[in-house]
Amino acid sequence: MVKSYLKYEHSRTFGLVNSSTSNVVWAESSRSTGIAVVAANEEVLCWDIKKGELLSRWADKDCRSQVTAIAQSKVDKDIFAVGHENGSIRIWDSKIATLIVSFNGHRSAITHLVFDKSGTRLASGSKDTDVILWDLVAEVGLFKLRGHKDQITGLRFLQPEAQETVDENGELVVAGFEDSNASEGFLLTTGKDALIKIWDIASRHCIETHAAQSNGECWALGLSPDGAACVTAGNDGELTVWSIDTPGLSEFSRSPNEVAEKHFLKSRGVLRGQGKDKALEVSFHPRNDYFAVHGSEKAVEVWRIRSEDEVKKVLTRKRKRRREKLASTGEKMDVDDAGDEPSDISTADITDIFVSYVVVRTGGKVRSMDWIKTKGSKPMQFLAATTNNQLEVYTIPTKEKSKKSKSDEMPDYSRSLAVELPGHRADIRSLALSSDDKMLASASNGGLKIWNVRTRTCIRTFECGYALCCAFLPGDKIVVIGTKSGELELFDIASASKLDKVDAHEGAVWSLQVHPDGRSLVSGSADKTAKFWNFEVVQEEIPGTKRTTPRLKLSHTRTLKVSDDILSIRFSPDARLLAVALLDNTVKVFFVDSLKLFLNLYGHKLPVLSMDISFDSKLIVTCSADKNVRLWGLEFGDCHKAFFAHQDSILQVAFVPHNQDGNGHHFFSSSKDKMIRYWDGDKFEQIQRLDGHHGEIWALAVSKTGNFLVSASHDKSIRVWEQTDEQIFLEEEKEKELEELYENTLLTSLEPDKENEDDAEFGDVGKQTSETLTAGEKIAEALELGMADLAVIREWEEAKISQPNIAPPSRNILYTALGGISAEQHVLQVLQSIKAAALHDALLVLPFSKLPSLFTFIHIFCTRSMNIHLTCRIHLFMLRTHHRQIVASKTIRPVLEEIRVNLRRALKRQKDEMGFNLAALRVIGSQLEQRGVKDYVDEDTWEKETEGKKKRGFVQIA
């Protein structure tokens, strides 16, 4: 009988506020200050900033890679685009937290996403240096723009407004809807290669390139709200200001045959920021004349753009000073300087226009920020996401507000809100579960948190030292931690207070464990000693009174001295033996009662980092920095087996602590290679691999029942893995791993080499994935079956002419199973089942020999008008892809002629239908407008309406 095991699966994640892989987006909300949309490894979280509670999480089960970019649509505020590390993009509807469509086109991580004004197109930039434009309505990639030599660091749409022109009668004419639609707009991009480029989307070419930074790289791009200026940022706080000639761009887009002779981008000068690091982001305030810049320091620098009057004042003051200086030296003034009137603003130096306004110091290194929309008169606010797992909101008064004070003083900013409680600031170094598995303690540098495992909520937060190990004391009311500075600290969960702090050791306390009888504990430290502590309740006098109160104290009973630093220490469950792992790569086993040495376990090449003893005290498992796990018998100290278990140092091992279902000798190991592995200690086999973490896994805790385990990682998340009822067999798991390996190598071999690509500025969007490969195979299979079936049916119909009551033929069993559908219906169903975004890549899988059969079916679809839109798309794509071979082939020509006639007919019919419907809608619309009456004018919205409709200057009031 083959032994089967039960599978562990990832069930939930908590402890993470935001991960520092992606930007943060602030979204409006009717209820409160707004919502922060942040990346949390592979998921996206929506936080209510004011209450600090999680509103929703968006997770796609098929996607394991981290989120690297988030963007919100300007038109439909519920639509978000999310880019991932593997180059895939997903479009989410935030209202119902569902995935709408996913795109695959980039080879590596997405760095930037941006929607256009209409919300129908999305541009994405990536580390693979390409920019791709996606059509969100047809759900396809339009084209890929190549030109940058390094990753894309900034990406914006430039869509010049329709310009007002004066016609020959002297009347103002606003370019109509048709004209403004004809211009597809432009893209402005910056790359790490220090270039800034303007791309014309209509001609798909770069029309202008400049070097953006003088010192190496360009790291960020910010575009002003009116689209007339932009700021690029590089290293050492260097900011370059550019003016964009928007009227020139809209003129250029209307006269398509012109070659761009003049430059639309002009460099206006360089500003020096406070930051000494590379900049990460430049962000303009949507309404006021401010922009923010930040690098990876603990600060955000806000710059102010002066108004015209202020600039004039500055210029006048400068000239006055110059005059005084010249007068003092006795030189004569130049004639042109003698004029008193303030000179033109265009001559002003860039540093006169842009001034550093305030530097906001944040509670952690800033990864990203986003401006918060506030009501007109209120101070400005922005949301900052920091790398230490927290979100903060800062409030800054605007210039007008702080006028009363001296103008040179820095305005006071304040931190008004923060989301910080649901996670640790630093990496979690230790985890401990309570005896009933309901509470979890997690300890990090500076903080200890107690969690409710079922609801994923943080119940208590304590401040502590740099914690390295922790444990619940019997009764689950008290937690003890060992710190790097050698102290033991006791915390009471019920009263949320620190009970006691004992200076236990001279070195770091690397490990501690409670004795199996629950009356004492042992701590092992880098000062080469292990100390035993008893729990004692002492009656303490309350100061100022005669009454006493009971209090728990740790009293030191005995000390075990060893030859080297202790890294891990473990009691055997029968309390007979104590295992101590030392820095000299050995494990020494002592008797608990007499502290005499019993066994010496040699074998590891590097120090043992963790160990555990099985429930029956017969096996000890040790793991080491040499990437090996070793199993030893505790009777004679013989090594049963050494596995090469992980690709990096193994940080923790843990046995399942009991023997239900005979799993008492199964254990888990976790490592710096981001994996957890589940092993059978009797058969020395790997049972399962648990992957999901995106950083080294520092801590593991297995529940007392063995139903779940908890892991904490450098990616700041705590994950719970639950045992399911699904059985796994070792052979199947091995096959799965091999298949994964094969698929990965297959996909990398299919990717075109960068060197072999032509130097064209634009190309088609395509990327083979396992999904597109299987889709292509399905199409090929459907075509093969279909052609055979068409032949069978044709023969039967020919025979039917001579013998009218001949029995119907025996068709392929598949068609009968699908309800007796025809071959063409089956082929169409297969084609329709493929997602629009993956269709082109799936069709590329088909060899040329399959083309005649595909065209045969396309001919049938055209004659019967079956899904004309899809038919057209497939037909044109295949013609474009295999153009040369098709032209050279004589057999395909007659079929193509027939397809052309039928397609034309079907398309004309559809076009007429659409035209008729559009005309009808226009008539209905004009009728509605005639009947509608405006009763009153709302003063607030009246202003906005008149701005929107330039021509109508009257309103009808009944």
Side-chain angles (χ1 to χ4, degrees), residues 3-8 615 656-666 678-680 682 687 703-708 723-727:
K3 186 171 180 186
S4 69
Y5 303 88
L6 291 178
K7 188 175 188 173
Y8 280 84
F615 79 105
V656 176
H658 60 77
N659 198 23
Q660 283 161 287
D661 321 319
N663 60 2
H665 287 179
H666 298 178
Y678 183 29
W679 305 86
D680 182 340
D682 293 329
I687 303 168
S703 68
K704 309 290 181 285
T705 54
N707 291 343
F708 67 89
Q723 193 177 35
T724 58
D725 298 335
E726 193 184 334
Q727 289 192 328

Side-chain angles (χ1 to χ4, degrees), residues 745-761:
T745 46
L746 177 70
L747 292 176
T748 39
S749 67
L750 280 171
E751 273 185 16
D753 292 337
K754 268 286 203 192
E755 288 74 50
N756 303 349
E757 286 182 2
D758 46 355
D759 289 338
E761 270 200 332

Side-chain angles (χ1 to χ4, degrees), residues 227-514:
C230 67
V231 173
T232 58
N235 297 328
D236 320 323
E238 181 189 60
L239 305 170
T240 314
V241 183
W242 304 83
S243 64
I244 301 168
D245 178 9
T246 35
L249 277 173
S250 68
E251 188 61 39
F252 172 73
S253 63
R254 261 190 258 122
S255 46
N257 307 329
E258 268 187 38
V259 180
E261 279 141 12
K262 57 176 186 172
H263 287 318
F264 303 115
L265 263 185
K266 285 194 181 67
S267 172
R268 297 297 301 270
V270 175
L271 304 169
R272 287 271 162 218
Q274 301 266 345
K276 289 288 158 271
D277 208 2
K278 66 176 193 191
L280 290 177
E281 202 169 21
V282 177
S283 173
F284 276 83
H285 192 278
R287 275 203 324 272
N288 307 352
D289 286 335
Y290 293 88
F291 69 89
V293 185
H294 71 83
S296 51
E297 307 107 336
K298 294 185 173 183
V300 174
E301 186 175 6
V302 180
W303 289 74
R304 190 170 68 82
I305 307 166
R306 286 182 169 146
S307 63
E308 285 189 28
D309 303 342
E310 284 181 277
V311 176
K312 281 180 184 164
K313 274 183 199 164
V314 170
L315 288 179
T316 326
R317 201 181 309 137
K318 272 196 171 174
R319 290 207 359 276
K320 193 175 166 192
R321 277 195 203 139
R322 200 157 75 235
R323 206 176 287 139
E324 285 167 6
K325 196 176 172 190
L326 288 172
S328 65
T329 54
E331 288 176 23
K332 294 241 355 154
M333 285 192 67
D334 289 346
V335 183
D336 55 341
D337 279 355
D340 262 5
E341 83 289 347
S343 57
D344 187 20
I345 290 188
S346 57
T347 63
D349 193 46
I350 197 73
T351 49
D352 296 339
I353 304 174
F354 293 87
V355 281
S356 182
Y357 182 59
V358 61
V359 176
V360 178
R361 303 278 166 204
T362 53
K365 289 184 178 170
V366 186
R367 168 57 181 87
S368 164
M369 57 82 64
D370 197 9
W371 290 102
I372 293 178
K373 243 194 214 155
T374 47
K375 297 274 188 331
S377 57
K378 285 191 179 162
M380 301 185 296
Q381 287 188 317
F382 69 81
L383 167 74
T386 57
T387 52
N388 62 356
N389 197 24
Q390 66 179 341
L391 295 168
E392 302 178 311
V393 173
Y394 286 92
T395 306
I396 312 169
T398 48
K399 177 76 174 154
E400 293 71 46
K401 282 279 177 303
S402 52
K403 231 176 204 166
K404 291 160 196 143
S405 63
K406 285 231 171 76
S407 55
D408 306 341
E409 282 179 24
M410 257 198 171
D412 294 334
Y413 60 86
S414 60
R415 178 173 120 154
S416 41
L417 296 165
V419 182
E420 52 184 358
L421 282 180
H424 283 276
R425 296 291 78 79
D427 283 6
I428 295 169
R429 295 303 299 267
S430 173
L431 291 173
L433 281 161
S434 63
S435 59
D436 56 3
D437 292 337
K438 284 185 180 160
M439 286 190 295
L440 172 77
S442 60
S444 72
N445 177 5
L448 165 73
K449 284 181 183 286
I450 312 294
W451 306 82
N452 179 330
V453 178
R454 195 177 53 81
T455 61
R456 325 181 205 186
T457 47
C458 176
I459 314 167
R460 292 277 185 269
T461 301
F462 301 99
E463 279 187 14
C464 64
Y466 194 142
L468 294 174
C469 49
C470 68
F472 275 94
L473 298 192
D476 297 334
K477 296 211 169 43
I478 295 171
V479 176
V480 59
I481 66 158
T483 68
K484 203 167 186 171
S485 51
E487 288 126 8
L488 290 177
E489 299 183 27
L490 291 171
F491 296 95
D492 181 7
I493 298 171
S495 67
S497 60
K498 183 193 267 196
L499 291 180
D500 197 6
K501 184 174 179 178
V502 184
D503 290 328
H505 293 272
E506 267 93 72
V509 181
W510 284 110
S511 180
L512 58 84
Q513 201 196 6
V514 178

